[in-house]
Amino acid sequence: MYGRFRFRTLFGRKGTFMSQADGAKWISVAAARDAAQVGAHVEIRGWVRTRRDSKGGFSFIEVNDGSALANLQIIAEASLPNYDSDIANLSVGSSIVASGELKASQGAGQATELVAHSVRVIGVADPATYPLQKKRHSYEKLREWAHLRPRTNSFGALTRVRNQLSMSTHQFFQDEGFYYLNTPIITASDCEGAGQMFRVTTLPLDKLPLKDGKVDFSQDFFGKSAYLTVSGQLEGEIYATALGKVYTFGPTFRAENSNTSRHLAEFWMIEPEAAFFELADNMALAERFIQRLLSDVLSKCQEDMAFFDERVQPGLRDALAAVLTKPFEHLTYTEAVEILEKSGQKFEYPCSWGSDLQAEHERYLTEQHVKGPLILYNYPRSIKPFYMRCNEDGRTVRAMDVLVPGVGEIIGGSQREERLDVLLARMAETGLHEQDYWWYIDLRRFGTVPHSGFGLGLERVVQWVTGMTNIRDCIPFPRTPGSAEF
Ligand code: 4AD
Ligand code: MG
């Protein structure tokens, strides 16, 4: 009977498939684990996590298809026609299609199990060479196997949580009346002015065209120097001053040569920008956004969050839930520096007014002083980019950063300088050429308005809500100095 089976499917309703062979409906492991499915005749498609053979003449196969952290247990009796040839040798990582009846399970931690009528092996994974054997592997090791690590519990859970954060981002901003905007990935302007851009060029590197002893970029693809974007903010401002409220959600690139647990060369940033928003509106928006992300992840990813709580950072869920119960703390940069100076803490880098806060300072403030999220604002103008609105005191700008325990900065933003004369003065002060930003300056010439926005690093949020210690494990394929495999 098995030999005559032909693998054909028909599309059913809403992405389900009907197997023609026996009329069993293809459902996910997540759906099959629901007690309400007892008695249903279903088909499961996935990858083998474990196989145990019982002396009683049957095997237990744990199968996972990515739809949930937990596996479905399949019971394959020795009477199945391919038991000796296939099932009794079924190895970890092999792909199978199993159909049968869902029964109530006696086993702990599972409501159902599948008593198989058929188990077909689709693709074998050779146990001699398949790297993901039952033992636990370090996250460092798993980074070398980024093509296989999504098959582990940790990376399955991470991927589902990251998916939820992305969905919640769109839902939150849509609910708040923001339009989703796509800003360019190739750009000619350095938004942050920090000179950390990757150049994009089609010039032959072994035979660069020269003019007056310098590379002649007028011969390059775009007729001038071009780079991968570090931020969509400046283009976001263009649309905010027309549509009112917009947000971007895309990849950004920074050639920072910093090998830390919080930096990537390629990361995803969400950047809302709103016209007629002052700094206080911006801070309130950031707080509502973060709270929405946390409450959605806690309520919609319960199984995965329980996993991170047990295996990665004990107490994680309570700490995140506590964030939802009270408003964020706010401190000016000046107040923060006073707190750090009086803390009696030995920092590697001393802290004084006018210097940028180091990760150790940020973490002291959020982890020791506030013990929760903290919004710092009004930073010295000398350490911030040209576009931030200058305060009347002449020495600070309306910048805001959101810091959280365990990670530090997850949001950087500001109110933007909307006054033409002040903006031009700031550009001169920071060495920027007006002709490179003529369109940005035009926004202040034609109907200028106060406006504000911020950028939230998606991987930093993933890191915070999962408790993972390294940001390289918070993105499917990390790009860092010296590493761009996969
Ligand atoms: O503070 P940043 O540099 O702000 C901007 O880019 C503004 N233009 C945003 C805006 O106002 N529209 O970056 C924003 C956030 C940081 O708070 C951090 O979460 C994340 O982006 N980030 C990084 N994440 C991973 N790796 C890196 N190298 C990052 N650099 C920044
Ligand atoms: Mg920043």
Side-chain angles (χ1 to χ4, degrees):
M1 203 176 93
Y2 175 75
R4 276 189 282 121
F5 182 92
R6 300 245 319 276
F7 180 57
R8 273 193 286 150
T9 55
L10 289 175
F11 283 96
R13 267 187 309 115
K14 266 203 125 190
T16 63
F17 292 80
M18 298 292 277
S19 161
Q20 274 199 334
D22 52 6
K25 187 173 154 202
W26 174 22
I27 65 171
S28 68
V29 164
R33 288 180 56 85
D34 185 345
Q37 292 285 344
V38 168
H41 194 192
V42 302
E43 184 175 274
I44 298 295
R45 305 176 180 191
W47 292 266
V48 173
R49 286 291 179 85
T50 62
R51 190 200 84 235
R52 269 187 307 123
D53 302 321
S54 149
K55 294 225 167 56
F58 54 90
S59 296
F60 295 107
I61 305 162
E62 296 268 342
V63 67
N64 190 286
D65 65 356
S67 60
L69 184 80
N71 306 323
L72 182 71
Q73 176 163 285
I74 295 174
I75 296 172
E77 310 236 357
S79 57
L80 288 172
N82 61 335
Y83 186 83
D84 293 328
S85 56
D86 295 343
I87 298 170
N89 302 311
L90 203 49
S91 54
V92 175
S94 300
S95 51
I96 60 168
V97 173
S99 64
E101 192 185 331
L102 285 170
K103 300 235 161 108
S105 174
Q106 258 62 264
Q110 61 199 35
T112 62
E113 59 195 22
L114 186 79
V115 177
H117 299 165
S118 125
V119 177
R120 285 179 295 125
V121 182
I122 307 299
V124 168
D126 181 357
T129 49
Y130 184 60
L132 298 183
Q133 298 303 329
K134 223 180 154 191
K135 89 185 233 310
R136 279 184 88 174
H137 299 283
S138 69
Y139 289 126
E140 286 76 15
K141 193 78 216 158
L142 288 174
R143 257 172 246 150
E144 295 171 19
W145 300 326
H147 60 312
L148 297 171
R149 68 178 185 171
R151 299 185 187 189
T152 63
N153 284 339
S154 304
F155 288 92
L158 254 149
T159 308
R160 285 183 294 270
V161 166
R162 190 179 158 110
N163 169 70
Q164 183 58 54
L165 291 168
S166 302
M167 285 308 295
S168 297
T169 294
H170 283 296
Q171 280 157 356
F172 172 79
F173 285 111
Q174 296 292 326
D175 290 352
E176 295 260 345
F178 284 66
Y179 295 104
Y180 175 41
L181 176 72
N182 301 120
T183 49
I185 287 172
I186 300 175
T187 177
S189 49
D190 183 357
C191 173
E192 294 305 295
Q196 298 165 332
M197 304 182 88
F198 288 100
R199 182 181 289 282
V200 176
T201 180
T202 52
L203 291 178
L205 294 179
D206 50 353
K207 219 172 118 208
L208 290 168
L210 300 176
K211 195 176 167 189
D212 306 331
K214 287 191 185 148
V215 178
D216 181 11
F217 286 105
S218 71
Q219 294 189 41
D220 205 347
F221 189 90
F222 299 104
K224 58 178 174 179
S225 285
Y227 308 90
L228 293 179
T229 187
V230 296
S231 161
Q233 176 196 323
L234 302 186
E235 293 88 353
E237 288 186 50
I238 295 178
Y239 272 75
T241 53
L243 280 89
K245 298 176 187 174
V246 296
Y247 69 104
T248 72
F249 188 168
T252 49
F253 308 86
R254 294 196 185 175
E256 306 178 81
N257 201 359
S258 43
N259 259 308
T260 78
S261 59
R262 311 183 314 146
H263 288 90
L264 292 163
E266 175 179 298
F267 61 98
W268 286 68
M269 194 165 23
I270 297 140
E271 295 184 273
E273 188 72 33
F276 304 103
F277 259 45
E278 308 251 351
L279 188 65
D281 306 308
N282 205 31
M283 297 198 274
L285 180 73
E287 181 168 341
R288 288 200 298 283
F289 178 30
I290 289 173
Q291 299 218 330
R292 171 70 180 267
L293 293 179
L294 293 191
S295 76
D296 278 6
V297 159
L298 288 170
S299 64
K300 296 176 201 268
C301 303
Q302 293 191 15
E303 190 186 33
D304 292 324
M305 290 305 291
F307 172 83
F308 290 116
D309 198 315
E310 279 157 32
R311 297 294 184 85
V312 177
Q313 187 183 311
L316 177 70
R317 280 177 303 179
D318 287 347
L320 296 176
V323 172
L324 300 174
T325 62
K326 50 182 187 288
F328 289 10
E329 297 274 350
H330 294 67
L331 287 174
T332 65
Y333 167 90
T334 304
E335 289 167 336
V337 169
E338 277 165 18
I339 290 164
L340 289 165
E341 282 170 345
K342 287 191 197 134
S343 69
Q345 202 78 9
K346 275 262 173 291
F347 294 115
E348 193 186 336
Y349 296 91
C351 165
S352 64
W353 204 98
S355 62
D356 218 350
L357 296 181
Q358 301 294 322
E360 54 176 344
H361 305 135
E362 294 179 347
R363 294 191 58 173
Y364 174 82
L365 290 167
T366 177
E367 288 166 18
Q368 313 288 323
H369 186 75
V370 173
K371 298 187 172 66
L374 163 65
I375 305 186
L376 286 184
Y377 64 104
N378 286 353
Y379 281 71
R381 61 191 272 171
S382 55
I383 58 170
K384 288 293 183 187
F386 74 100
Y387 55 73
M388 294 189 178
R389 194 184 194 283
C390 294
N391 278 318
E392 280 60 49
D393 63 10
R395 43 183 226 146
T396 61
V397 287
R398 290 192 195 164
M400 54 161 250
D401 276 6
V402 181
L403 315 180
V404 299
V407 179
E409 177 190 338
I410 60 167
I411 281 182
S414 67
Q415 184 172 337
R416 319 307 189 186
E417 184 55 74
E418 86 284 13
R419 299 163 296 182
L420 179 62
D421 53 336
V422 183
L423 181 69
L424 293 177
R426 274 288 278 163
M427 290 182 66
E429 190 180 300
T430 49
L432 297 179
H433 304 297
E434 285 180 29
Q435 66 269 25
D436 295 338
Y437 295 85
W438 62 272
W439 45 272
Y440 189 74
I441 296 166
D442 264 3
L443 303 179
R444 280 72 186 165
R445 280 207 180 96
F446 309 128
T448 194
V449 287
H451 60 287
S452 302
F454 61 79
L456 170 129
L458 179 64
E459 291 72 22
R460 297 256 175 109
V461 178
V462 173
Q463 201 178 354
W464 182 35
V465 305
T466 61
M468 295 293 284
T469 49
N470 198 313
I471 198 165
R472 293 165 201 216
D473 300 324
C474 299
I475 186 166
F477 304 102
R479 268 80 184 96
T480 50
S483 150
E485 190 68 34
F486 305 101

